[in-house]
Amino acid sequence: MTGRRWAALLLLWFFFALAVTAIPRLSLTADEPVYIGAGYAFLRTGDLRLATAAQHPPLMQELVALPLLLQPGPPVAALDGWETAEMARFAPAFVAWYGEALPSATYAARLVVVLLATVWGAALFRWAASWFEDWGGLLALGLFAADPNILAHATLATTDIGFAAFSFIGLWLLTRALSRGGDGTGEKFFAPTAALALGAALSAKSTGFFTLLLAWGLILLIRPPLRRVLWLVIVPPLVLWAAYGFEIRPFPLATHYHIWQAMRTHLAAGHTAYLRGQIGATGWRTYYPLAFLLKTPPVTLLTTGLGLLVGLRALPRRWRAESVAWLFLGGYLAATLLSTVNTGYRFLLPLLPFLYLLAGRLPRIRRGYILLAAIGPLWLLMSALRLSPHYLTYFNLLAGGPDGGYRYLVDSNLDWGQSFIALADYLDAHHIPEVNLSYYTYTDPALY
């Protein structure tokens, strides 16, 4: 193994270490009790009623709840809100049942996401290195491993990392399948595994259908052999159905239909959001561009910007190989900008690895960029260490850093309920016996 491959392993280890050491220092965020509770209820009872309240397919909910089956857990039927399937009552009761065991339950659920994110980073290195050699892979992985936004959501038991990771891994495997010749290797391995990963993306989050549509569009563009296409047509819906326990009553995927109906209602009604001192429910076209500009590290902005500029020049001769990256970037960005639901930078996470991937070209076209591949990620790592474990609060200098971010964005961009432990430490250190606390989460602060 070359020194650069060892460096990639070191970056992955560093990413994993930063994530797992942050987990015990963060209280449950607003959405985590919903996903963990809904997944646990389904695994224990087979009842999908709470999945509709969670408004996403249940795969990630099941995965984060799976480790909780290895330790004593609450009797679902006895919890408040279960009979009427009211998430606003069930989620607080579910979390409160753990009491002093809540930190260990939280750690177990979040560790699943950390492991998935680490595999995601490994796939990014492999894809970038296959296109732009090891230096390109190291640059892409370095940008990933030290990105505070990736680290922030890799430490939370939510759906965001799952959708982004499965989408990227599935599309990487799909490109491998479509690039293979007549030796049958692509059909025997990469096509079915790509289908499984894309099915997982479809089953992880309501927006997963976008990735599958993109994959089908890419197939129409490349036109591979029919048998390879069948994997991508048949397997993903089966994975989605499996996530629902092969539900057949009152009809197959009935719960998924109800989730789509709830999501359509949500989109039509809008989503309350905050931007630069304004509160609105219909969204702003400037929301996600501004979030990207203010919460993306300057090194990443510079590197990915150069990568896109150079990539556009190379696109005419590499369009077939790189079409999946450009199609995903363009399609997902357009869908995000048109969305009336402004929920935070986390909706931009699926774009990041494709930006890092295209930035991996830089060390290959000019030796001077090899220095950027080494110094850029190192600078990011130093910044991540200073911010640990509060990665969610990251804002760059354009926003005035974490202390100035509240002027522009809040909620999952800044304070999502993850700071109760830090608040408890602050109150103890300053001998403050009482506090007036305004919060939005299903977790009772008294548990911390």
Side-chain angles (χ1 to χ4, degrees), residues 5-224:
R5 296 295 176 97
W6 281 111
L9 284 175
L10 183 63
L11 280 172
L12 287 172
W13 176 88
F14 201 86
F15 172 82
F16 181 82
L18 285 174
V20 296
T21 54
I23 289 177
R25 300 161 66 189
L26 301 170
S27 53
L28 284 170
T29 57
D31 285 11
E32 287 180 284
V34 172
Y35 299 135
I36 302 172
Y40 182 87
F42 173 65
L43 292 176
R44 282 294 190 194
T45 69
D47 193 321
L48 285 163
R49 289 179 303 150
L50 289 177
T52 305
Q55 291 194 354
H56 289 290
L59 179 62
M60 284 305 298
Q61 300 163 32
E62 294 159 5
L63 290 179
V64 298
L66 191 61
L68 301 188
L69 301 183
L70 302 177
Q71 57 187 10
V76 174
L79 294 179
D80 185 31
W82 171 250
E83 287 296 328
T84 53
E86 293 180 67
M87 184 61 78
R89 292 165 56 198
F90 178 83
F94 172 79
V95 172
W97 184 91
Y98 282 94
E100 294 183 356
L102 183 59
S104 62
T106 302
Y107 196 96
R110 287 172 169 174
L111 186 59
V112 173
V113 183
V114 174
L115 292 171
L116 177 58
T118 305
V119 174
W120 182 21
L124 172 61
F125 174 79
R126 289 295 302 274
W127 194 350
S130 68
W131 278 5
F132 310 121
E133 302 175 347
D134 285 354
W135 275 115
L138 276 179
L139 175 57
L141 178 58
L143 294 173
F144 172 95
D147 190 317
N149 299 293
I150 298 285
L151 282 164
H153 293 281
T155 56
L156 304 178
T158 61
T159 61
D160 301 298
I161 289 292
F163 165 62
F166 285 130
S167 295
F168 185 84
I169 294 170
L171 292 172
W172 169 52
L173 293 170
L174 179 60
T175 61
R176 297 291 300 269
L178 299 182
S179 66
R180 294 285 164 168
D183 60 358
T185 304
E187 185 177 337
K188 292 179 180 178
F189 176 74
F190 291 111
T193 52
L196 287 171
L198 291 170
L202 179 66
S203 309
K205 196 171 182 178
S206 296
T207 46
F209 77 95
F210 175 83
T211 302
L212 190 59
L213 290 177
L214 173 64
W216 287 344
L218 189 65
I219 287 172
L220 293 175
L221 184 67
I222 303 296
R223 297 181 181 178

Side-chain angles (χ1 to χ4, degrees), residues 421-432:
I421 295 174
L423 176 60
D425 292 340
Y426 181 89
L427 296 177
D428 289 342
H430 292 80
H431 307 291
I432 301 174

